[in-house]
Amino acid sequence: MEERLFVKVIVAEDEDLIRNNLVKRIENLCDTVKVIGAAQDGKEALELVRQDQPDLIVTDIRMPVMDGLELIKSLDSYFPRIRKIIASGYADFAYAKEAMQYNVKDYLLKPVSTEELQRVLSRNISLIENERAQFQDHLKGLNMQTAQNPEDIVQLVREFMRENFTKELSLEQIARHFNFTASYLSKIFIKYTSEPPSRYLMTLRINEAKYLLTHYRNLSIKEVGERVGYLDQFYFSRIFKQMTGFTPKEYQR
C-alpha cells in the first residue's frame, strides 16, 4: 500500500490560546495532517509559507502587522496552489466575503465547532490528495518525449517552476525532472508560451523580488536575491536592472 503524504498546514491567529487550541485540534482530527507552523500575524505566516511550502493555511482576518485579507491576497498572487480557510468571528463576515474573490472556499465561524472543523478539513484534504494524484498521473503520462500533448507538458513545467523558483534551478535540472532533453523542453515551451523557460523563471523571481523589496525593507539586497533563487548578489542586481530598469536599491526607495 502506498504511503500517504502529510497534508502540511500553517495556522495564523493572533490570540495565543485560540491559536494553540486550533493547532492541537487540527492535528488530533486527522492523522494525515501535520501543522508545520503557527503564526501570530500575516507577515509571519507569509514567511513560514515561503520557507515551508504548506498545502493549506487556516487564518484569522483581524491580525496585527498584516491582516488575514492581505495575507490571502499575497497567497493568491504568489502561491496559488495553497488552499485557504478563514476562521473568524461573525463581525468579520463582510471581510470574509471579500476574501472569496481570492479563491477562499471555506469560512469557519468562531468559536469553531469540532464538527465543522472536521467537515472543512476533510473536504480540503480530499481535494489536496486528489490534486496530488492527478499531478502524478500527469507526470507518469508525460515521462516520454513521444507524449501526445506537449501543451500539457508545458503547463506542468510552468507549475513546477512556480513551486520551485526560489530554489537553485536551471533548464537542465527542470528537463531532467521531467525526463526530457533541455533542447526539446525549450522548443515546446517557446511554442506554447512565446518565451523560453529561462525568461519565465526570471520573471517569477523578479516579481517576487519586487514584492520583498517593497514590503520587507529590513531585508538586505543579498537576502532578497537569495530568497528568490539568486545566490550571487551582483548577478541578481544585474538581472533585476535588466528586467526593471532599476537597481534593487533604487527600486526599494
Side-chain angles (χ1 to χ4, degrees):
M1 183 176 176
E2 188 177 343
E3 182 182 358
R4 296 176 74 186
L5 297 174
F6 279 115
V7 170
K8 298 187 294 183
V9 180
I10 285 174
V11 174
E13 164 63 60
D14 62 324
E15 296 286 344
D16 292 347
L17 287 175
I18 297 175
R19 183 175 64 251
N20 294 337
N21 178 264
L22 197 52
V23 167
K24 188 178 297 184
R25 290 169 68 195
I26 288 171
E27 290 198 320
N28 287 341
L29 280 173
C30 186
D31 58 6
T32 62
V33 167
K34 187 173 183 62
V35 179
I36 59 171
Q40 59 186 353
D41 58 64
K43 181 179 177 182
E44 188 179 325
L46 199 55
E47 285 296 310
L48 291 173
V49 167
R50 290 194 178 98
Q51 292 169 20
D52 300 318
Q53 299 290 317
D55 303 294
L56 176 67
I57 189 159
V58 181
T59 182
D60 190 11
I61 290 289
R62 297 194 188 191
M63 296 183 291
V65 187
M66 177 192 286
D67 66 21
L69 197 57
E70 191 63 33
L71 170 62
I72 286 163
K73 288 180 185 178
S74 296
L75 294 176
D76 192 54
S77 296
Y78 296 101
F79 303 93
R81 289 172 67 84
I82 295 176
R83 292 191 165 272
K84 302 169 283 289
I85 299 172
I86 290 174
S88 202
Y90 180 78
D92 295 325
F93 186 66
Y95 293 106
K97 285 177 67 177
E98 185 180 348
M100 300 301 172
Q101 66 183 295
Y102 302 109
N103 295 305
V104 176
K105 307 297 184 188
D106 293 290
Y107 177 81
L108 295 170
L109 184 64
K110 292 180 180 178
V112 179
S113 71
T114 299
E115 293 76 14
E116 188 65 5
L117 183 60
Q118 175 78 69
R119 183 188 69 78
V120 170
L121 275 179
S122 297
R123 176 181 173 276
N124 279 275
I125 290 166
S126 294
L127 290 169
I128 289 165
E129 291 180 340
N130 286 340
E131 286 171 359
R132 286 176 177 174
Q134 288 171 12
F135 188 76
Q136 289 302 319
D137 287 343
H138 270 299
L139 291 181
K140 289 174 184 176
L142 298 173
N143 63 359
M144 297 294 290
Q145 291 184 28
T146 55
Q148 295 299 307
N149 194 341
E151 194 170 1
D152 278 353
I153 300 171
V154 171
Q155 182 58 31
L156 286 172
V157 171
R158 283 165 60 96
E159 289 176 5
F160 178 78
M161 284 195 279
R162 286 173 68 175
E163 291 182 351
N164 295 279
F165 72 88
T166 59
K167 305 171 186 175
E168 189 175 352
L169 201 60
S170 68
L171 177 60
E172 288 71 23
Q173 288 171 315
I174 297 167
R176 279 199 304 272
H177 181 83
F178 289 93
N179 201 24
F180 294 112
T181 65
S183 59
Y184 174 79
L185 193 57
S186 184
K187 179 181 177 182
I188 62 171
F189 198 94
I190 291 170
K191 179 179 179 180
Y192 288 100
T193 68
S194 301
E195 65 178 347
S198 57
R199 180 74 181 187
Y200 181 71
L201 178 61
M202 196 183 300
T203 301
L204 288 172
R205 287 173 164 172
I206 296 306
N207 283 344
E208 176 74 354
K210 288 193 289 187
Y211 179 84
L212 293 174
L213 290 166
T214 301
H215 292 86
Y216 299 94
R217 295 176 178 273
N218 59 312
L219 293 176
S220 69
I221 302 304
K222 185 176 188 298
E223 287 172 325
V224 171
E226 288 174 347
R227 286 172 186 240
V228 299
Y230 292 113
L231 301 182
D232 185 327
Q233 177 183 339
F234 300 104
Y235 181 67
F236 164 60
S237 295
R238 180 159 63 84
I239 295 297
F240 191 92
K241 184 163 188 179
Q242 177 185 321
M243 293 283 287
T244 68
F246 300 95
T247 67
K249 276 194 177 297
E250 289 170 343
Y251 187 87
Q252 200 171 40
R253 294 192 195 107

